[in-house]
Amino acid sequence: MRKDHTINVMNFRCPDCGQEFPAATRQWRCPCGGVLELSERSRFERDRIETKISTLWRYRAMLPPVKTENIVSLGEGWTPLVPAQAYGIEFLAKLEFLAPTGSFKDRGTTVLVSLLKELGVREVVEDSSGNAAASLAAYCARAQIQCRIFVPASASPAKLKQIRAYGAELIPVEGPRENASQAAQHAAQVSYYASHVYSPLILEGTKTIAYEIWEQLDGHAPDAMLFPTGHGTLLLGAYYGFRDLLEAQLIDRMPALYAVQSEACAPLYRIYIENLAELPDIPQGETVAEGIRIRRPVRWKAIMRAIRETGGRVVTVNESEILSAQRDLARQGLYVELTSAVAVAGLKALPHGGERLVVPLTGSGLKAPF
Ligand SMILES: *Cc1c(COP(=O)(O)O)cnc(C)c1O
Ligand SMILES: [Zn+2]
């Protein structure tokens, strides 16, 4: 049974100018350039967790409203938390790579695609050469929504195979990564832009990682969390999730959120270190951490706010540190993709002493064997 404060009508809102849009909008960004958020988010209520459900839909009461028959789920979320170590530091690894398509992206996708089904959307477009596209392609296959992905012509063939296997249409775009985004945004004039970067529904899915960790730690928040950070959708989701728990007075302080970037492509680090008021124009840089090779994180302001407010930091790691972190994890039985190893490599930068640390291992090593 629904209580009064359940959100029945969901709107999107531009934080920059205040304009509101119905959730059914095809507008993926405010005309003023702002990145949309939900105008109202549901509150966390412990009593409404459906504890018999072993997917993130156990938090359905806290997720955007969808009819049961429109939920598109492949068993995502509720991932294990297992002890591991690096640089002599003990931490808890959250095994996000066990997700249905092999990365945490499924958390956001299950919420987004369920809403699209609820809204009767029949076809979507997206641009990505990697895990976001594979995830979207899988959930669209499940929902029988047609899916077209614009990919850089230079994208790695391994990940493209997974995307194509789900039946998505792949459209190669010549030139730099941004050209694929522009092509998708152009196609979005007549289709739906199911963007992991722009859709605020993605963060409603990724926030569940915080709820899960809180349950798994017997009603506590960790002291700190580290994320391999590109567009920051997992870091921001965790921030929202823990803030929900704080507002419900179920934790008494926020975990410090650390963004870890590859030295070769670290716009957030530049902002952090130089205290910049604008996104710097940096070269793309070459890195083995392909999943976070992002020059222009669109929610950079929100990411920086979350990091500063929680007492976290932005740190960078170099290529050899990423490679050795991946190897060290594998020697503990945890085979992750190089992008995921970035967060673990970042542990060396932490002030530490008996703190409870959680690191999500975001993607499977089987995605791009190295
Ligand atoms: C997408 C992705 C990331 C980065 O996530 P952002 O939301 O862009 O910060 C990290 N690791 C893996 C495996 C990914 O697929
Ligand atoms: Zn606006």
Side-chain angles (χ1 to χ4, degrees):
M1 239 197 340
R2 301 219 173 255
K3 294 187 200 158
D4 290 340
H5 43 254
T6 297
I7 316 271
N8 293 313
V9 181
M10 198 178 44
N11 281 328
F12 296 164
R13 183 176 170 280
C14 171
D16 294 347
C17 74
Q19 194 175 336
E20 294 226 1
F21 306 86
T25 183
R26 295 287 163 117
Q27 205 93 40
W28 50 272
R29 188 169 69 184
C30 183
C32 87
V35 192
L36 303 182
E37 296 175 349
L38 291 194
S39 49
E40 199 187 349
R41 300 192 47 257
S42 49
R43 285 192 257 157
F44 187 87
E45 290 170 89
R46 174 196 294 206
D47 297 345
R48 302 185 73 196
I49 301 174
E50 295 175 54
T51 53
K52 290 206 179 72
I53 300 177
S54 299
T55 75
L56 61 76
W57 289 96
R58 67 201 275 108
Y59 308 112
R60 182 176 175 188
M62 278 69 84
L63 294 173
V66 275
K67 292 190 204 77
T68 301
E69 66 266 29
N70 290 332
I71 291 178
V72 185
S73 174
L74 292 164
E76 57 292 312
W78 202 237
T79 54
L81 199 54
V82 307
Q85 58 165 306
Y87 311 103
I89 302 173
E90 315 233 311
F91 65 95
L92 292 167
K94 179 90 168 134
L95 307 191
E96 293 297 289
F97 63 82
L98 297 179
T101 74
S103 85
F104 81 86
K105 298 290 196 299
D106 295 342
R107 287 188 187 272
T109 312
T110 187
V111 172
L112 174 60
V113 174
S114 297
L115 257 291
L116 295 181
K117 194 169 173 203
E118 177 100 355
L119 295 170
V121 170
R122 305 289 312 150
E123 88 168 72
V124 301
V125 294
E126 159 78 305
D127 56 287
S128 154
S129 51
N131 295 341
S135 182
L136 184 68
Y139 283 79
C140 282
R142 189 76 171 185
Q144 295 187 292
I145 292 172
Q146 208 188 316
C147 180
R148 261 191 306 158
I149 312 277
F150 293 84
V151 296
S154 59
S156 97
K159 289 190 177 175
L160 296 184
K161 277 195 180 164
Q162 186 188 7
I163 301 168
R164 202 178 283 116
Y166 294 125
E169 182 189 351
L170 282 176
I171 303 169
V173 182
E174 295 295 334
R177 173 74 180 79
E178 282 89 343
N179 291 11
S181 301
Q182 276 160 23
Q185 288 159 12
H186 184 75
Q189 291 167 358
V190 292
S191 187
Y192 186 101
Y193 189 22
S195 171
H196 270 255
V197 177
Y198 288 97
S199 173
L201 295 169
I202 293 295
L203 303 180
E204 290 303 295
T206 55
K207 76 180 181 187
T208 58
I209 195 172
Y211 301 165
E212 290 178 18
I213 292 167
W214 171 79
E215 280 200 74
Q216 290 170 319
L217 295 180
D218 280 330
H220 295 282
D223 296 305
M225 278 186 79
L226 294 88
F227 304 85
T229 308
H231 280 293
T233 62
L234 190 57
L235 185 152
L236 281 174
Y239 171 77
Y240 280 130
F242 283 115
R243 216 185 50 189
D244 293 344
L245 294 166
L246 190 69
E247 280 167 9
Q249 298 183 327
L250 293 168
I251 56 175
D252 46 27
R253 66 187 171 89
M254 294 289 285
L257 303 182
Y258 285 74
V260 190
Q261 300 208 286
S262 163
E263 225 170 74
C265 186
L268 297 169
Y269 183 71
R270 282 274 307 274
I271 296 171
Y272 180 74
I273 288 296
E274 298 173 33
N275 216 0
L276 304 178
E278 290 300 326
L279 199 55
D281 200 17
I282 58 155
Q284 182 140 56
E286 283 298 330
T287 173
V288 292
E290 59 179 6
I292 54 167
R293 194 161 161 252
I294 305 292
R295 285 176 59 235
R296 304 187 65 80
V298 304
R299 294 187 193 272
W300 67 273
K301 284 184 206 159
I303 298 170
M304 296 312 296
R305 217 181 302 124
I307 291 168
R308 292 196 166 111
E309 191 188 306
T310 60
R313 275 163 56 199
V314 185
V315 299
T316 59
V317 295
N318 66 34
E319 299 296 291
S320 75
E321 290 167 335
I322 299 170
L323 291 164
S324 66
Q326 189 209 34
R327 198 188 47 227
D328 291 352
L329 283 165
R331 295 299 157 88
Q332 296 169 63
L334 300 166
Y335 188 41
V336 300
E337 67 173 285
L338 284 161
T339 305
S340 309
V342 166
V344 174
L347 277 169
K348 68 175 196 322
L350 244 68
H352 119 95
E355 297 201 303
R356 186 140 52 177
L357 308 172
V358 174
V359 183
L361 299 182
T362 52
S364 167
L366 299 173
K367 285 260 191 182
F370 189 79

